[in-house]
Amino acid sequence: MAIPTQSPVSGPVVNQTGSLPKHDVADLGLAGEGKRRIEWAEREMPVLRLIRERFEREKPLAGLRIAACLHVTTETANLVRTLKAGGADVVLCASNPLSTQDYTAAALVAEYGISTFARHGADRDMYYSHLNAAADIRPHMTMDDGCDLVTLIHQDRRDQLTEILAGTEETTTGVIRLKAMAADGALGYPVMAVNEALTKHLFDNRYGTGQSTLDGVLRATNLLIAGRHVVVAGYGWCGKGIASRFRGMGAQVAVVEVDQVRALEALMDGNLVMTIGDAAPWGDIFITATGDIHVIRAEHFKVMRDGAIMANSGHFDCEIDLPALNELAGDRVREVRDNVVEYTIGDRRVHVLAEGRLVNLSAAEGHPAAVMDMSFANQALCAEYLRGKHKDLANGVYDVPEEIDVEVARLKLAALGIVLDPLTPEQTKYLASWQHGT
Ligand SMILES: NC(=O)c1ccc[n+]([C@@H]2O[C@H](COP(=O)([O-])OP(=O)(O)OC[C@H]3O[C@@H](n4cnc5c(N)ncnc54)[C@H](O)[C@@H]3O)[C@@H](O)[C@H]2O)c1
């Protein structure tokens, strides 16, 4: 039996309704709710708000067409509003079929006049028709979360490559794909790896994914976490956050890693460390956040406890081997709650949350706005930087300039009312000298 989906919807990419921008969204009647929620998120996004106010005055993106392929959430809405305020002509499409908030998509079109192509539960054809609709504006700049738009343009719309000045990429998996393209000499324009900014991954990947993954698991299952055995696969920025949040709720956490240093770090942070083979019969809840493929496979499903829960917070839905799980369960597959599918193998039931897609965005609302404030401040400032500097950059993947990273941290601290000590002249001199000793 195929993996059940949440009633996929598909339909034509049309619409130029009255004075509204081009769009394909589920229900424009949700725009009022979307606007209220976008404003709620905005309260937690002071850095982006300051940037938007400056952009409104200075219009640094005037005349620029930007195609953004991002999770269509209230936080993203505040980013695209900022880009528009800077003078850009922006179109937004979804970077994942289950992360779209239909109320946000509706508000973007009806309340903010931003061309948006996104429906929750879109099937594969609709997903790609939306990416194509975004590419149809013939962007000067792409903004991706997972590299799908960049890949589409490089594979199917190569004639547009010469028109694109630069791009940005939001997440680890996208950066890995871009670096592979650059190593093959296949990347057609420079892309800035926003994920690599310290003010992005230290906060968004760690605290954002940590909290919202826990939130997604709780909303989907309402399980008690205290006392459970929780297995976290991958101890990168996301895995560290997830493990620490589950430990904080009283779980015993075991980390599965392939990297020696990160495994050691996981151990010293207070986790158990074991192989996925040993973890499979031990765990009650499994969460993958590796960016890798088939981390949990048939041999592991076969030895899991009755009632085991599996969820993924890595970018793509390939970390849990769902085809193998479907094969093992045959027709003994059923949806037992929203976002919870039960697979019966012999006399045991195992469960997958949110179709193995990003559980924090599919079963909850994604990262809290306060962390997306910094991630999207980086996006907005990188768009401005690339507008001015793209001519100096060869086709390749670039880190966010340090001055942008420091500026985002400075603005965030200022918004929080936190003041730092400046170095005294004596300290400045001391730190620059080598003569002082024991
Ligand atoms: N859910 C979200 O909202 C969200 C947010 C940010 C990033 N992400 C995604 O989460 C994933 C992880 O991101 P990150 O920033 O933590 O990456 P990272 O590179 O910092 O960490 C990934 C870790 O997984 C480990 N790993 C790789 N293959 C493994 C395997 N087979 N078994 C066990 N461990 C393995 C690596 O050694 C590494 O330590 C990526 O796909 C990224 O795009 C999701």
Side-chain angles (χ1 to χ4, degrees):
M1 182 176 165
I3 308 158
T5 58
Q6 288 191 327
S7 51
V9 282
S10 67
V13 176
V14 280
N15 301 325
Q16 177 94 50
T17 318
S19 60
L20 296 179
K22 283 190 180 172
H23 63 275
D24 186 36
V25 302
D27 181 2
L28 287 175
L30 300 172
E33 180 189 355
K35 184 162 192 271
R36 285 193 299 279
R37 287 177 176 255
I38 290 166
E39 286 169 357
W40 174 256
E42 186 189 10
R43 294 189 204 179
E44 290 281 301
M45 304 183 86
V47 178
L48 200 59
R49 191 170 57 243
L50 283 172
I51 293 170
R52 186 162 66 245
E53 285 163 9
R54 179 171 68 76
F55 275 18
E56 253 154 22
R57 290 192 305 275
E58 298 177 6
K59 301 284 179 212
L61 307 179
L64 205 65
R65 289 192 299 272
I66 300 180
C69 178
L70 302 168
H71 298 295
V72 179
T73 63
T74 52
E75 294 77 21
T76 301
N78 283 309
L79 169 63
V80 292
R81 287 176 63 202
T82 304
L83 302 173
K84 188 180 176 196
D89 184 4
V90 193
V91 59
L92 176 66
C93 64
S95 62
N96 185 293
L98 286 191
S99 61
T100 296
Q101 298 165 347
D102 285 329
Y103 49 80
T104 297
L108 279 168
V109 174
E111 298 283 345
Y112 299 104
I114 291 168
S115 184
T116 302
F117 297 87
R119 288 169 178 247
H120 186 91
D123 62 17
R124 190 184 156 80
D125 285 350
M126 178 186 270
Y127 178 78
Y128 278 101
S129 74
H130 286 166
L131 264 69
N132 274 300
D136 280 347
I137 67 156
R138 304 200 76 90
H140 302 117
M141 197 175 279
T142 58
M143 212 168 249
D144 241 316
D145 187 329
C147 200
D148 277 349
L149 185 59
V150 168
T151 306
L152 175 92
I153 290 170
H154 279 73
Q155 285 175 343
D156 301 341
R157 307 178 67 124
R158 295 193 60 81
D159 60 307
Q160 288 184 232
L161 285 175
T162 51
E163 300 167 5
I164 301 177
L165 313 176
T168 63
E169 169 54 52
E170 172 77 5
T171 197
T172 316
T173 284
V175 173
I176 291 169
R177 291 170 84 181
L178 287 165
K179 286 188 174 162
M181 287 174 83
D184 275 355
L187 188 59
Y189 52 89
V191 182
M192 196 150 274
V194 169
N195 184 71
E196 304 310 296
L198 294 174
T199 48
K200 198 279 182 182
H201 65 252
L202 286 181
F203 306 96
D204 167 320
N205 299 31
R206 184 163 43 169
Y207 302 115
T209 313
Q211 177 170 316
S212 59
T213 297
L214 177 65
D215 187 18
V217 171
L218 288 178
R219 289 199 207 192
T221 65
N222 196 28
L223 285 181
L224 179 72
I225 302 300
R228 300 267 173 183
H229 288 179
V230 174
V231 178
V232 177
Y235 205 66
W237 295 108
C238 294
K240 288 187 225 302
I242 295 166
S244 86
R245 268 44 193 161
F246 276 91
R247 282 200 314 275
M249 293 283 281
Q252 292 183 58
V253 175
V255 166
V256 172
E257 249 298 346
V258 292
D259 179 282
Q260 311 290 331
V261 175
R262 286 193 161 167
L264 191 59
E265 188 184 8
L267 187 74
M268 302 244 173
D269 283 347
N271 306 286
L272 299 167
V273 175
M274 52 178 87
T275 63
I276 185 66
D278 288 340
W282 179 85
D284 298 307
I285 300 172
F286 296 80
I287 297 162
T288 51
T290 67
D292 202 354
I293 191 167
H294 296 171
V295 178
I296 313 183
R297 302 180 292 276
E299 63 263 40
H300 310 125
F301 305 137
K302 287 180 189 164
V303 297
M304 283 181 179
R305 294 177 177 194
D306 182 39
I309 303 276
M310 288 175 272
N312 168 51
S313 242
H315 189 78
F316 288 117
D317 59 347
C318 61
E319 302 212 12
I320 302 166
D321 187 352
L322 291 173
L325 186 54
N326 272 291
E327 199 167 310
L328 280 175
D331 60 1
R332 300 170 77 194
V333 180
R334 61 180 186 139
E335 189 170 43
V336 288
R337 282 169 62 99
D338 284 354
N339 284 313
V340 186
V341 172
E342 177 188 273
Y343 298 78
T344 302
I345 307 170
D347 59 353
R348 286 165 308 102
R349 294 154 302 176
V350 300
H351 306 89
V352 174
L353 307 188
E355 302 174 16
R357 298 187 191 276
L358 300 154
V359 70
N360 60 329
L361 281 143
S362 304
E365 292 172 65
H367 296 0
V371 284
M372 295 318 294
D373 189 26
M374 291 183 281
S375 305
F376 286 163
N378 275 292
Q379 285 280 10
L381 294 179
C382 283
E384 179 183 33
Y385 176 90
L386 287 168
R387 211 261 157 98
K389 287 282 195 317
H390 67 91
K391 285 202 193 83
D392 304 337
L393 303 175
N395 298 347
V397 184
Y398 293 86
D399 282 348
V400 173
E402 193 186 348
E403 64 266 23
I404 290 184
D405 225 345
V406 172
E407 176 65 359
V408 172
R410 189 187 69 76
L411 289 172
K412 189 72 174 177
L413 286 167
L416 294 167
I418 293 170
V419 179
L420 304 188
D421 285 315
L423 289 172
T424 65
E426 183 192 22
Q427 288 166 344
T428 305
K429 191 172 167 206
Y430 176 78
L431 290 172
S433 71
W434 54 270
Q435 292 92 346
H436 280 84
T438 311

